[in-house]
Amino acid sequence: MAEQITITPIGVFHSSQKEPYEAGRQTDEFHSEGVIELSSGENFEQALIGLEGCSHIWVIFHFHHNNHWNPMVLPPRGRTTKIGVFATRSPYRPNGIGMSCVKIKRIEKLKIYVEAADILDGTPVLDIKPYVAYADSFPGVEPAWLADASKYTVSFTGEALEQLEWLDNAGVEQLRGFILHQLEFEPTNSKKKRVKTFEDRFVIAYRTWRAAFTIQDHTVEVFKIFSGYSENDLATSEDTYHDKSIHKEFKKLFPSARP
């Protein structure tokens, strides 16, 4: 029996990414804002001295949404069959430990504001280490099973960008990043994502919102965002996700945004 180790979190991560499907695949600029709030009374103020000179840091954290592990997992891209969890970055690990490299925006007392984070709100932070390029970067080195993962270019029409900007301001700020990281690899794989096919067009679902897109060669074009609610749905008083008011206003501003 291996010796048990007790680890106490040094803080917690806060962001608008609350559900697993909202987090990016590793880090990306559209999952950009978050803050590491360190615990008080632990002399962490001193531990932060010198960190202001670092551009990026490694955040070691606990996958707190998971209460079990799987020896075999299906990666979000690159394979159609399962592979050993130790060959992936899946959250379903024996000890549930994750790591992400994020960019520091600023430090205010015990709060480290970061961007390009793929960490969920409420995540316990276990440790912080500086990113050191000469030791941490090996350009071009990838797992063999990722070799066949073909990346798509994702673009947006003017209409879709206008709709996304409005939704960003209305508080639906994770939709843009969700679309990008879901469609850049295997965009039509309905076994791994909520995608439906309609002749030469496709629709992907994010919570109660939908994004319609087409594919030509290796370019995905998102041409429209629309509500997942029907008119009959919006007419009822039931509001499970507390967002029907946003959908009603969206439909008024973008009347052409229909399925």
Side-chain angles (χ1 to χ4, degrees), residues 166-179:
W166 187 89
L167 288 169
D168 280 342
N169 294 329
V172 191
E173 54 192 21
Q174 297 300 325
L175 179 54
R176 186 193 305 256
F178 172 86
I179 292 171

Side-chain angles (χ1 to χ4, degrees), residues 150-153 187 214-220:
S150 182
K151 188 172 183 177
Y152 286 70
T153 299
T214 58
I215 300 177
Q216 186 172 6
D217 297 325
H218 261 65
T219 297
V220 173

Side-chain angles (χ1 to χ4, degrees), residues 13-26:
F13 190 86
H14 300 292
S15 80
S16 58
Q17 299 174 153
K18 299 183 182 298
E19 302 297 334
Y21 58 81
E22 294 180 303
R25 303 300 180 201
Q26 308 310 311

Side-chain angles (χ1 to χ4, degrees), residues 111-199:
K111 293 183 178 181
I112 307 169
Y113 292 83
V114 301
E115 61 183 13
D118 59 352
I119 309 172
L120 297 180
D121 182 63
T123 293
V125 176
L126 307 179
D127 202 357
I128 296 169
K129 297 184 178 184
Y131 171 84
V132 182
Y134 81 87
D136 296 342
S137 178
F138 299 91
V141 177
E142 296 283 0
W145 57 265
L146 273 177
D148 295 330
S150 182
K151 188 172 183 177
Y152 286 70
T153 299
V154 182
S155 64
F156 299 90
T157 64
E159 178 183 6
L161 286 173
E162 183 182 2
Q163 292 168 335
L164 285 170
E165 183 177 356
W166 187 89
L167 288 169
D168 280 342
N169 294 329
V172 191
E173 54 192 21
Q174 297 300 325
L175 179 54
R176 186 193 305 256
F178 172 86
I179 292 171
L180 285 168
H181 76 68
Q182 287 287 323
L183 300 185
E184 66 178 354
F185 291 98
E186 303 177 42
T188 62
N189 191 329
S190 60
K191 293 182 179 180
K192 295 183 179 180
K193 52 199 74 178
R194 296 170 61 194
V195 176
K196 292 185 177 181
T197 304
F198 300 92
E199 297 181 354

Side-chain angles (χ1 to χ4, degrees), residues 32-210:
S32 57
E33 295 188 4
V35 57
I36 301 167
E37 184 171 4
L38 299 178
S39 303
S40 60
E42 302 290 344
N43 289 326
F44 290 149
E45 293 88 348
Q46 295 183 49
L48 287 172
I49 294 174
L51 196 66
E52 70 280 355
C54 299
S55 171
H56 291 69
I57 54 174
W58 288 104
V59 181
I60 314 301
F61 59 89
H62 176 61
F63 288 113
H64 66 301
H65 279 255
N66 300 337
N67 56 14
H68 68 284
W69 77 283
N70 294 326
M72 299 288 288
V73 297
L74 182 63
R77 60 184 174 93
R79 288 183 65 93
T80 57
T81 57
K82 290 185 177 182
I83 192 172
V85 69
F86 292 148
T88 75
R89 297 200 176 187
S90 168
Y92 297 100
R93 319 193 71 79
N95 286 305
I97 295 176
M99 54 183 280
S100 289
C101 187
V102 302
K103 183 177 181 180
I104 296 177
K105 295 177 65 177
R106 66 184 186 278
I107 301 173
E108 296 179 0
K109 296 183 179 180
L110 288 175
K111 293 183 178 181
I112 307 169
Y113 292 83
V114 301
E115 61 183 13
D118 59 352
I119 309 172
L120 297 180
D121 182 63
T123 293
V125 176
L126 307 179
D127 202 357
I128 296 169
K129 297 184 178 184
Y131 171 84
V132 182
Y134 81 87
D136 296 342
S137 178
F138 299 91
V141 177
E142 296 283 0
W145 57 265
L146 273 177
D148 295 330
S150 182
K151 188 172 183 177
Y152 286 70
T153 299
V154 182
S155 64
F156 299 90
T157 64
E159 178 183 6
L161 286 173
E162 183 182 2
Q163 292 168 335
L164 285 170
E165 183 177 356
W166 187 89
L167 288 169
D168 280 342
N169 294 329
V172 191
E173 54 192 21
Q174 297 300 325
L175 179 54
R176 186 193 305 256
F178 172 86
I179 292 171
L180 285 168
H181 76 68
Q182 287 287 323
L183 300 185
E184 66 178 354
F185 291 98
E186 303 177 42
T188 62
N189 191 329
S190 60
K191 293 182 179 180
K192 295 183 179 180
K193 52 199 74 178
R194 296 170 61 194
V195 176
K196 292 185 177 181
T197 304
F198 300 92
E199 297 181 354
D200 62 339
R201 300 184 175 191
F202 308 88
V203 171
I204 188 167
Y206 168 80
R207 291 188 178 179
T208 55
W209 296 94
R210 307 290 182 265

